Amino acid sequence: QVQLLESGPGLVKPSETLSLTCTVSGGSISGYSWSWIRQPPGKGLEWIGYVYYSGNTNHNPSLTSRATISVDTSKNQFSLRLSSVTAADTAVYYCARVGSRSSLWPLDYWGQGTLVTVSS
Amino acid sequence: DIQMTQSPSSLSASVGDRVTITCRASQSISNYLNWYQQKPGKAPKLLIYAASSLQSGVPSRFSGSGSGTDFTLTITSLQPEDFATYYCQQSYNTPWTFGQGTKVEIK
C-alpha cells in the first residue's frame, strides 16, 4: 500500500519561501508523476503542479512561476518550494500520486496534508 | 483554464436516500473526470476515475457517468459514513481543476 507523508515548517513569514517534502513509502517513486494540491481553510482544492519521476514538471500558471516541484528518486521523495509567500498562501498542502495514463491520471493516493500558515 | 461547476453546492439527505451530484465542464473533457470524497480534517479520497470506473475498495453504491461536458456522481443508498464533501476534477488539460465541492449533510 503506497503511503505519502508531508513534512516541513508549519509557519512561514511573508515574502519568504515555503518548503515542503513528501516522502513516499510502500512503493517506488519511479514510473509515476507526483503532485501537490492545496486547500485554503474552509475552501476548495487547487492543483499546484506535478513532477514526473524523471524530473519533468508541470505547474499551475496561476502561481506565476513562484512554485518549483522537484524529485529525489534516491530518497523516494519529492518537494515543493513556493517563493514570495503571502497570507493568501495559507492552506493545507497535500501531496498525491498521479495514477497511470490508462486510468486517465487520477490522484489516487494522498498524504494526510500539512497546514502551512503564512504570518509574521 | 477549464472551469468545473458542481451542483448543488450543498444538499440535505437521509440515510437510504439516492443522491445525485452533477459536474459540468466549460469545454469537452472526454471522460477525463474524477470524483473525490473529503471528510472534515482528512485528505480527499478517490472514488471514481475516468468518469465511471470505481476505484478499488470503494463501495458499489457509488457510481459515475457522463462524457464530454456533463457528469454525474450517484450514491444509490446513502450511508452514515457518506456524509462528506464531494469534488469533481478534470485531468484532460493542465492546469487540472476541481469543482467547488458539494457538501452532503444529514437531513
Side-chain angles (χ1 to χ4, degrees), chain A residues 32-33 50-59 69-73:
Chain A
Y32 288 94
S33 291
Y50 67 69
V51 59
Y52 191 47
Y53 76 98
S54 64
N56 292 340
T57 59
N58 192 311
H59 297 84
I69 302 175
S70 59
V71 64
D72 186 337
T73 54

Side-chain angles (χ1 to χ4, degrees), chain A:
Chain A
Q1 177 79 348
V2 175
Q3 293 185 311
L4 296 86
L5 184 63
E6 304 90 349
S7 59
L11 181 64
V12 181
K13 290 182 168 56
S15 79
E16 296 191 344
T17 296
L18 177 161
S19 294
L20 296 174
T21 296
C22 184
T23 301
V24 179
S25 59
S28 174
I29 208 165
S30 296
Y32 288 94
S33 291
W34 303 87
S35 192
W36 288 97
I37 304 96
R38 70 179 182 178
Q39 185 172 37
K43 296 188 178 181
L45 299 161
E46 179 183 28
W47 175 74
I48 297 171
Y50 67 69
V51 59
Y52 191 47
Y53 76 98
S54 64
N56 292 340
T57 59
N58 192 311
H59 297 84
N60 193 328
S62 70
L63 294 168
T64 57
S65 303
R66 295 190 296 125
T68 302
I69 302 175
S70 59
V71 64
D72 186 337
T73 54
S74 67
K75 295 182 178 179
N76 238 33
Q77 294 177 334
F78 63 107
S79 299
L80 169 70
R81 288 173 56 86
L82 185 66
S83 63
S84 306
V85 297
T86 69
D89 295 309
T90 294
V92 175
Y93 285 76
Y94 295 101
C95 58
R97 190 183 82 167
V98 181
S100 66
R101 179 179 182 177
S102 63
S103 60
L104 306 187
W105 300 305
L107 298 162
D108 58 2
Y109 289 95
W110 293 65
Q112 66 186 17
T114 187
L115 174 63
V116 178
T117 301
V118 178
S119 175
S120 55

Side-chain angles (χ1 to χ4, degrees), chain B residues 4-102:
Chain B
M4 306 301 293
T5 304
Q6 290 181 232
S7 61
S9 295
S10 65
L11 65 91
S12 295
S14 301
V15 172
D17 283 354
R18 179 186 181 94
V19 169
T20 299
I21 299 168
T22 63
C23 178
R24 175 164 288 176
S26 60
Q27 66 181 73
S28 177
I29 58 170
S30 184
N31 61 334
Y32 288 69
L33 191 283
N34 310 301
W35 288 99
Y36 303 88
Q37 176 194 67
Q38 186 179 34
K39 296 181 179 179
K42 299 295 187 182
K45 171 188 172 184
L46 177 66
L47 298 177
I48 302 286
Y49 63 93
S52 60
S53 296
L54 192 68
Q55 174 70 350
S56 176
V58 174
S60 59
R61 62 181 179 273
F62 291 93
S63 64
S65 64
S67 183
T69 60
D70 295 314
F71 302 87
T72 299
L73 173 70
T74 300
I75 311 172
T76 53
S77 178
L78 199 65
Q79 298 301 299
E81 59 268 31
D82 301 337
F83 292 95
T85 300
Y86 294 84
Y87 293 93
C88 61
Q89 177 243 337
Q90 64 84 15
S91 52
Y92 183 76
N93 270 348
T94 59
W96 294 342
T97 46
F98 293 85
Q100 81 278 15
T102 296

